[in-house]
Amino acid sequence: MNENIQKIIKNILRDIQVEMTDEFDQNFERQAFFSEAWQRRKSPTRPGGHILVDTGQLRRSIKSRTTDNSVIFYTDLPYAAIHNDGGEIVVTQRMKRFFWHKYYEATGSFGRKKDGSRRNDKRTNQLSTEAEFWKFMALKKAGTTIKIPRFLPPLNNTQLKP
């Protein structure tokens, strides 16, 4: 009898794992943790884009496993924790070099007229805003901090017990 109960619990946990895996994936579509909307980004680098989805790596990294009496969802990406809990990142020289790279990448994409001046179209204006953002970030002094808001409720070691 005990073996049958364990088998039923294992099947229920497996069903919960499948359903919750789909729900976690759908959170990225909803841009919310179930019904709790994620905080909108203030960065002009991707206006109107999905929150927390750039390459899709974070979304694909969420895994789950079952134990005898629980389902555990986790990710091993190092930056997932800062999105999960929020926090501060200290600006380094290497980050500043990356910000300058992004600035030059954005400014090189400006649409130009025949006389060399910038076009006044939507794409160029957006790139101008993006370039200003990267320049602002690149001009931050090394050692200053960037505050990252909490986007998600705690995800690491989230357990669902029957």
Side-chain angles (χ1 to χ4, degrees), residues 10-34:
K10 189 172 186 173
N11 286 337
I12 290 170
L13 287 174
R14 202 172 299 129
D15 289 344
I16 291 171
Q17 180 183 18
V18 168
E19 289 296 320
M20 292 305 296
T21 299
D22 184 52
E23 286 297 319
F24 276 113
D25 188 58
Q26 288 299 311
N27 284 335
F28 286 90
E29 289 295 320
R30 290 187 290 257
Q31 299 184 51
F33 186 75
F34 301 103

Side-chain angles (χ1 to χ4, degrees), residues 6-25 27 34 62-73 158-162:
Q6 286 294 354
K7 189 174 181 180
I8 290 170
I9 290 174
K10 189 172 186 173
N11 286 337
I12 290 170
L13 287 174
R14 202 172 299 129
D15 289 344
I16 291 171
Q17 180 183 18
V18 168
E19 289 296 320
M20 292 305 296
T21 299
D22 184 52
E23 286 297 319
F24 276 113
D25 188 58
N27 284 335
F34 301 103
I62 298 174
K63 307 286 185 226
S64 62
R65 67 176 184 272
T66 58
T67 64
D68 290 338
N69 61 357
S70 66
V71 179
I72 301 170
F73 289 87
T158 299
Q159 295 188 12
L160 301 172
K161 295 186 179 182

Side-chain angles (χ1 to χ4, degrees), residues 29-134:
E29 289 295 320
R30 290 187 290 257
Q31 299 184 51
F33 186 75
F34 301 103
S35 63
E36 183 184 337
W38 292 338
Q39 188 174 346
R40 296 300 306 171
R41 72 174 64 221
K42 295 176 185 172
S43 168
T45 57
R46 290 181 39 237
H50 278 232
I51 300 171
L52 293 182
V53 178
D54 189 16
T55 64
Q57 190 174 4
L58 177 61
R59 184 177 187 172
R60 288 188 305 272
S61 76
I62 298 174
K63 307 286 185 226
S64 62
R65 67 176 184 272
T66 58
T67 64
D68 290 338
N69 61 357
S70 66
V71 179
I72 301 170
F73 289 87
Y74 63 95
T75 179
D76 55 1
L77 288 180
Y79 61 84
I82 195 93
H83 289 303
N84 223 16
D85 306 324
E88 293 183 350
I89 299 173
V90 177
V91 176
T92 64
Q93 285 295 334
R94 184 175 180 189
M95 290 168 71
K96 288 173 62 73
R97 285 193 302 274
F98 172 75
F99 297 149
W100 279 120
H101 168 76
K102 296 299 278 184
Y103 169 73
Y104 290 123
E105 188 177 85
T107 56
S109 300
F110 287 156
R112 303 275 181 193
K113 296 179 184 176
K114 288 184 180 181
D115 66 1
S117 62
R118 276 197 258 171
R119 282 192 210 132
N120 195 17
D121 59 2
K122 185 177 179 180
R123 182 175 179 277
T124 300
N125 289 337
Q126 178 188 339
L127 285 171
S128 176
T129 306
E130 181 178 345
E132 288 173 21
F133 169 78
W134 289 118

